[in-house]
Amino acid sequence: MHHFNYKDDALFCENVSIKEIAENVGTPFYLYSHATIKRHFLIFDGAFDGVERLICYSAKANSNLAILTLLAGLGAGLDIVSGGELYKGLKAGFPASRIVYSGVGKRVDEIDFALREGILMFNVESLEELALIDMRAALMDTVAPIAIRVNPDVDPKTHPYISTGLKKNKFGIDTETAIEAYEMASTLQHVKILGVDCHIGSQISEAKPFEDALGNILSLVGDLRRKGIEISYLDMGGGLGISYQGESPPEPNEYAGAIQKILKPTEYKLILEPGRVIVGNAGTLVTSVLYRKTGKNKEFVITDAGMNDLIRPSLYQAFHAIQPVVKNEGKSIKADVVGPICESGDFLAVDRDLADVKNGDLLAVMSAGAYGFVMSSNYCSRPKVPEVMVKGDTYSVTNRRQSYEDMIRNETIPGFLMETESGQTG
Ligand code: LLP
């Protein structure tokens, strides 16, 4: 459930009219609901009551500092995948002791940063990375807490770009090599084995793949125990899906029930890394209609938001519901909703039944809180759009719109281009 609802004909986020925000902030912009994020986190966390756990929100889904600060305040931990996410997480108030760090390509400077800060654990994705972490920890005269990210070879039945736990995926270490990795880790002086980790994919809409992955992980943990290697944390990653277009993924309590059914008799501390399920339906992208255009066999609604602002439809053929910010009485139309970018792949919706909108009307692209702004870019030299958070009857711009100057701030024109052909400065 979220807090985007119509009052009469106008779409509200909590108690604030979206039209009013658009008039003040301009379009496009991302809009987040504080109450929705809070509710989603508390429901997810509460579903595991009775289990020793740490819910590490996955920063990659949306690393807006206001959202991170809200979640840190609710007692969440953080799942990071880069030095930048560590930096933002610390700024937002997450204690390092609640941060786990995954990713196949951790750089030396990022490893050092995480070691210096004293994060809870590194989810190690290769034997080479394990050796490097040990070496960097030795140089810093410290010990790195680690889990091996295991690839359990389970099909999450999701879009191929966001499945991560199959043999063919680059993530984690297969179960046989994982035993080797743990044996290697147990001989290293500057590494402490703390847990086992896996993450099988994203937007998963059934409980079975999670159950299968957990079964595989527990059998690995049994094998390790027989070899005298003990772990205390089980990190089962993120991946629980949301409803974009009538999908019915398990509710957090069903998901928790499925995990607890298998985990109950064990004494491990559970870590989960939910991203989308916390913020996905808590955000919308608000855009204005610029033009209508009737092609030979298609109707187009051209908006001021494009694929650089929200890439999910172009990249994954993802469906996002599109709602009018103010309902009108007109008939509905079937149209492609497209952005201003010079690519045919620049669309927010294809062949969509939609309100009969006209120039100046506002549209809300729903369920855009996860993997929306964070995946946006300056393509076509389009400034990044603002992010706004609503709480009750107030709102605040938490990330202002980039200006043209912001966009070129880090660029310099080299001196050698300032010289004319005769060698004089032009
Ligand atoms: N943990 C790890 C190690 C991950 O790689 C991910 C997501 C998560 C947790 C969080 O997964 P979630 O609960 O959000 O499903 N850009 C794509 C999604 C990519 C997901 C990458 N990893 C999209 O827009 O659908």
Side-chain angles (χ1 to χ4, degrees):
M1 211 201 82
H2 55 68
H3 291 264
F4 295 92
N5 293 305
Y6 285 99
K7 286 190 187 162
D8 298 323
D9 286 337
L11 189 60
F12 274 62
C13 175
E14 301 189 22
N15 300 326
V16 184
S17 142
I18 296 182
K19 182 164 181 274
E20 180 195 320
I21 303 175
E23 279 162 5
N24 290 319
V25 174
T27 59
F29 64 95
Y30 275 94
L31 182 61
Y32 308 127
S33 154
H34 178 283
T36 311
I37 297 170
K38 183 172 172 185
R39 178 171 191 275
H40 286 175
F41 178 77
L42 294 179
I43 287 180
F44 191 96
D45 185 45
F48 290 90
D49 265 350
V51 178
E52 205 181 334
R53 66 196 181 278
L54 181 59
I55 307 300
C56 292
Y57 167 68
S58 193
K60 63 181 80 61
N62 189 327
S63 58
N64 177 275
L65 276 181
I67 291 181
L68 293 183
T69 304
L70 163 60
L71 290 166
L74 294 173
L78 196 67
D79 158 51
I80 60 162
V81 77
S82 70
E85 286 184 350
L86 177 54
Y87 176 81
K88 291 184 87 173
L90 294 170
K91 279 257 177 271
F94 287 94
S97 59
R98 279 200 252 137
I99 298 180
V100 294
Y101 186 179
S102 307
V104 293
K106 303 178 186 81
R107 284 194 320 251
V108 167
D109 61 303
E110 294 176 311
I111 292 171
D112 288 357
F113 182 16
L115 282 170
R116 261 195 324 273
E117 295 297 334
I119 62 164
L120 174 60
M121 98 189 164
F122 289 87
N123 290 335
V124 177
E125 307 227 15
S126 65
L127 297 177
E128 289 196 6
E129 183 193 327
L130 182 60
L132 178 64
I133 290 178
D134 179 63
M135 190 182 98
R136 300 311 299 182
L139 284 173
M140 291 168 77
D141 200 18
T142 184
V143 174
I146 61 117
I148 299 295
R149 175 163 175 187
V150 177
N151 183 331
D153 196 27
V154 166
D155 185 357
K157 302 206 177 68
T158 183
H159 191 284
Y161 285 10
I162 54 177
S163 107
T164 49
L166 284 169
K167 268 200 194 115
K168 63 177 181 190
N169 298 133
K170 69 178 174 180
F171 299 97
I173 300 181
D174 64 86
T175 33
E176 283 127 58
T177 318
I179 300 214
E180 220 180 285
Y182 277 103
E183 283 175 331
M184 173 177 156
S186 67
T187 66
L188 298 174
Q189 300 279 300
H190 292 274
V191 150
K192 179 178 185 296
I193 296 171
L194 202 64
V196 57
D197 165 56
C198 87
H199 168 79
I200 55 173
S202 197
Q203 183 53 15
I204 299 173
S205 54
E206 34 184 310
K208 182 82 170 48
F210 294 112
E211 293 171 8
D212 292 349
L214 183 54
N216 291 358
I217 295 293
L218 286 176
S219 116
L220 171 78
V221 170
D223 292 347
L224 291 175
R225 176 166 270 184
R226 279 185 285 283
K227 289 180 179 291
I229 298 173
E230 295 290 341
I231 60 123
S232 43
Y233 282 94
L234 261 188
D235 182 343
M236 291 305 298
L240 186 59
I242 62 170
S243 179
Y244 286 99
Q245 189 184 12
E247 301 93 326
S248 46
E251 292 290 324
N253 62 351
E254 294 169 49
Y255 166 77
I259 290 183
Q260 283 178 65
K261 193 174 64 191
I262 305 176
L263 200 57
K264 201 135 223 172
T266 72
E267 65 273 34
Y268 305 112
K269 287 177 220 155
L270 182 64
I271 295 180
L272 292 160
E273 304 171 353
R276 189 188 313 263
V277 73
I278 307 294
V279 290
N281 285 329
T284 178
L285 171 65
V286 181
T287 180
S288 296
V289 174
L290 296 177
Y291 303 101
R292 284 284 296 272
K293 174 156 136 173
T294 307
K296 271 278 176 243
N297 51 13
K298 280 245 184 201
E299 187 67 23
F300 295 102
V301 170
I302 303 170
T303 57
D304 63 357
M307 68 188 281
N308 72 300
D309 303 307
L310 178 66
I311 203 173
R312 301 195 70 257
S314 308
L315 193 57
Y316 316 112
Q317 296 74 51
F319 180 98
H320 287 263
I322 299 185
Q323 298 183 2
V325 168
V326 180
K327 282 188 192 165
N328 64 22
E329 292 296 304
K331 58 180 185 340
S332 87
I333 55 164
K334 193 186 267 304
D336 283 10
V337 181
V338 300
I341 302 278
C342 47
E343 299 209 23
S344 297
D346 175 26
F347 53 80
L348 299 173
V350 175
D351 290 332
R352 185 68 63 83
D353 291 318
L354 203 72
D356 188 10
V357 286
K358 57 177 188 325
N359 159 277
D361 285 354
L362 295 167
L363 291 172
V365 184
M366 306 305 288
S367 311
Y371 308 108
F373 181 87
V374 284
M375 293 181 79
S376 68
S377 76
N378 286 127
Y379 187 35
C380 294
S381 294
R382 285 164 49 84
K384 292 213 186 175
V385 307
E387 296 176 278
V388 180
M389 182 182 273
V390 168
K391 179 171 190 272
D393 42 25
T394 57
Y395 70 91
S396 166
V397 176
T398 64
N399 189 8
R400 65 174 172 74
R401 189 182 305 281
Q402 272 189 336
S403 63
Y404 291 149
E405 294 75 37
D406 290 334
M407 268 199 307
I408 62 164
R409 181 145 295 138
N410 294 336
E411 296 197 45
T412 38
I413 297 168
F416 56 71
L417 288 180
M418 308 301 270
E419 289 163 13
T420 62
E421 278 179 26
S422 61
Q424 286 165 346
T425 303

